Amino acid sequence: MIKKVDHIGIAVRSLETTLPFYTEVLNLPLVGIEVVESQKVRVAFLKAGETKLELLEPTSEESTIAKYIEKRGEGIHHVALAVDSIEERIHEMNTKGITMIDKEPRIGAGGAHIAFMHPKSASGVLLELCEKKG
């Protein structure tokens, strides 16, 4: 079912302020930066072994990330788990009584198909199912 931890999403106020810590202090390679308009975020991808770190900077005060930072401050936002068939995993979670935020997959950063589980179903952790096509 779960192949690996695909990435860890980290909410930040500013990529410009935060990136030097990851690239210069930790020496993690920056894979790329993209804007995900539908999520109202700018995402920096860093390679940390087989797992990526995604730094999530809000591009709007209405974004989920902006609201998260306002309420909880910067820090770990979610853990993404790589899956083969996201539709099957969503169905499986539903049959096991897990509350899904996303009833259907949507497109996330890097063109991945994603769906989030409600933190109340995962002991307070926001978990993302992530299927990368191709």
Side-chain angles (χ1 to χ4, degrees):
M1 180 179 127
I2 304 299
K3 299 189 314 186
K4 65 178 184 172
V5 172
D6 184 77
H7 67 270
I8 298 170
I10 302 170
V12 302
R13 287 185 177 86
S14 165
L15 290 181
E16 283 69 30
T17 302
T18 308
L19 266 175
F21 172 78
Y22 289 92
T23 59
E24 296 168 20
V25 176
L26 297 180
N27 293 316
L28 296 176
L30 177 64
V31 177
I33 297 176
E34 81 174 74
V35 175
V36 183
E37 294 291 341
S38 63
Q39 305 293 316
K40 298 181 178 123
V41 293
R42 202 166 129 219
V43 184
F45 303 93
L46 298 142
K47 188 156 177 58
E50 289 190 27
T51 303
K52 288 191 183 80
L53 299 181
E54 287 186 0
L55 303 183
L56 305 159
E57 173 193 72
T59 58
S60 165
E61 290 182 16
E62 290 85 44
S63 77
T64 303
I65 296 301
K67 292 173 185 172
Y68 178 89
I69 291 171
E70 182 180 314
K71 186 175 182 181
R72 295 182 180 88
E74 294 178 296
I76 293 177
H77 179 260
H78 68 272
V79 175
L81 305 171
V83 298
D84 281 326
S85 174
I86 195 162
E87 291 89 359
E88 288 178 20
R89 297 294 71 82
I90 292 170
H91 175 73
E92 179 182 10
M93 294 302 109
N94 286 326
T95 61
K96 291 182 175 181
I98 302 301
T99 302
M100 297 295 297
I101 293 171
D102 299 297
K103 305 296 183 203
E104 300 289 329
R106 57 185 159 117
I107 303 298
H113 292 217
I114 64 169
F116 285 92
M117 291 181 211
H118 197 285
K120 289 180 181 175
S121 289
S123 301
V125 178
L126 181 60
L127 292 174
E128 174 186 1
L129 301 176
C130 177
E131 179 184 1
K132 295 187 175 171
K133 305 283 185 180

